[in-house]
Amino acid sequence: AEGMPGSPRIHGYDAASQIVLMDRVAGDTLYDLFTGRAAADHGPTLGRVGAWLDRFHRLVQWEDRQFQPKYTLNHLGKVRDQVESGQQNVPHRAAFLAALHQTIETAPTAQQCQTVAAVGHGDLNLRNILVAGEDVSGLDFGTPGLLPVAHDLARLFCHYGALCVKPDGTEHAPLPGVDLSAFFDGYTLVGPEDETVAFLCRVRVLRDWQSIPKPLIKRSVSQQIRFRGIQALARGMFA
């Protein structure tokens, strides 16, 4: 945060009680800026956010890297076994399993996953980015670590695609049905054709799907709204 323009100065923290004292940041969250506004009007803000994240990912350390899908696939295999055995309950179980199987079967090889690793944000959702005019700020950073930038990108893209736009059925990359071209006008560390980003977007949709309680009565209103968005993304993403 100290090295990133626009990030709030942190004055102190207490890990045990999970308290952080930091400067107040002016602006609106991306969620507030995009909710209720036509996707056609999102472009300029997406471009500024892309440029901010590009600077952030280049700030500390970044390097070319070959992503290894096998570790993620091992995790997905365990999830498949738990859902099939009934150890884990998910809404729309049959559709979830079909999407999960397709993700495993169509996963890219390591040779297809030439990407970039950087010190990431860790929880890059729409509420952790604030925009005030031309200024962009980040909040609530996770534990620093050198990981493929696709982890941050997939988190942001899927949150945006599920909550702020209606997927339009087009062949947009890396998130089918969601036009992210304006974001990539500002973000150039990797491009929309990066196979790692596309793969982790599919994985992210499945993870978000898992987080929704199966019984409708146990879902909050926000969870039900989000689940509708996840289903819309899944229809465009999985056959």
Side-chain angles (χ1 to χ4, degrees):
E2 290 176 356
M4 186 68 201
S7 293
R9 181 185 176 193
I10 297 174
H11 298 274
Y13 67 92
D14 181 70
S17 54
Q18 299 187 25
I19 292 174
V20 176
L21 177 64
M22 64 187 182
D23 287 347
R24 178 183 180 274
V25 181
D28 298 300
T29 69
L30 280 188
Y31 178 80
D32 290 331
L33 285 173
F34 288 155
T35 300
R37 300 185 185 183
D41 298 329
H42 296 177
T45 301
L46 281 175
R48 285 194 290 275
V49 170
W52 172 81
L53 187 58
D54 188 88
R55 293 196 305 274
F56 174 71
H57 279 159
R58 295 175 189 268
L59 182 66
V60 179
Q61 179 186 358
W62 62 277
E63 62 185 38
D64 293 330
R65 179 175 292 189
Q66 185 181 77
F67 176 71
Q68 300 290 330
K70 61 184 179 181
Y71 301 108
T72 304
L73 290 173
N74 286 340
H75 170 72
L76 292 179
K78 293 176 182 177
V79 172
R80 176 198 57 206
D81 294 344
Q82 290 172 351
V83 174
E84 288 181 340
S85 67
Q87 290 178 270
Q88 183 177 160
N89 293 318
V90 295
H92 298 191
R93 178 177 179 272
F96 177 85
L97 283 172
L100 178 58
H101 280 287
Q102 185 176 337
T103 301
I104 294 172
E105 292 165 2
T106 62
T109 64
Q111 289 70 30
Q112 293 173 296
C113 292
Q114 301 298 326
T115 190
V116 173
V119 176
H121 179 282
D123 187 17
L124 200 67
N125 65 65
L126 298 173
R127 293 185 176 90
N128 285 339
I129 301 175
L130 293 122
V131 178
E134 299 293 318
D135 298 326
V136 180
S137 302
L139 295 172
D140 200 18
F141 299 94
T143 303
L146 194 66
L147 293 170
V149 296
H151 287 285
D152 275 351
L153 297 180
R155 177 77 169 104
L156 178 62
F157 294 164
C158 292
H159 204 214
Y160 172 69
L163 293 179
C164 296
V165 294
K166 293 182 179 180
D168 58 14
T170 56
E171 296 296 323
H172 290 305
L175 197 61
V178 180
D179 185 1
L180 295 164
S181 57
F183 176 90
F184 285 104
D185 287 341
Y187 190 92
T188 60
L189 201 53
V190 300
E193 72 289 342
D194 188 297
E195 288 284 350
T196 307
V197 179
F199 175 63
L200 289 183
C201 279
R202 295 193 289 274
V203 174
R204 184 77 244 180
V205 166
L206 292 171
R207 288 183 62 186
D208 291 346
W209 191 335
Q210 280 181 268
S211 71
I212 304 298
K214 181 177 181 178
L216 182 60
I217 196 171
K218 291 188 177 181
R219 296 179 207 163
S220 65
V221 172
S222 62
Q223 284 176 323
Q224 182 61 13
I225 292 171
R226 190 178 184 195
F227 187 50
R228 285 199 294 266
I230 291 168
Q231 292 295 286
L233 282 179
R235 283 192 290 272
M237 185 175 285
F238 305 110

